[in-house]
Amino acid sequence: MFPVDPAAPTPIERAAAAIQDAPVPAIGRIVLYAPTAAEREGRGSADYYPAVITRVWSRDCVNLHVLADAGPAFAVTSVNFFLLPAERTWRWPPRA
């Protein structure tokens, strides 16, 4: 067993720090949206679709215009930021 550093941040503290260090959402910014299974039907099977922020509710809640692989684009409202893959969440694209 590895020794645990009591000064090390907890997973919740690391997640909170990652959100605070993330860019501030703004209208027009491109993000990645994780669609639900129903939203994937007829639009391609990607894990994430690019999306444009159309309204900012808070630092972690936005409305999006989603650009699917195939089929029409669609809008989603009140989508929450999340660090881990989960349906109907958004995240920032990876940095190059």
Side-chain angles (χ1 to χ4, degrees):
M1 195 76 173
F2 295 103
V4 176
D5 180 0
T10 66
I12 292 173
E13 291 169 334
R14 285 195 306 270
I19 290 170
Q20 291 303 316
D21 292 341
V24 175
I27 294 173
R29 296 287 308 263
I30 303 292
V31 297
L32 298 177
Y33 173 71
T36 64
E39 290 168 337
R40 282 189 189 101
E41 288 184 30
R43 293 188 174 106
S45 60
D47 291 335
Y48 287 98
Y49 295 144
V52 179
I53 296 175
T54 57
R55 181 161 185 153
V56 177
W57 295 107
S58 67
R59 190 174 178 105
D60 63 346
C61 185
V62 299
N63 289 359
L64 301 171
H65 187 82
V66 182
L67 309 170
D69 287 356
F74 60 99
V76 289
T77 60
S78 301
V79 181
N80 291 311
F81 175 80
F82 201 59
L83 294 173
L84 302 173
E87 287 188 347
R88 206 173 183 291
T89 59
W90 69 274
R91 69 178 182 93
W92 293 104
R95 294 182 182 172

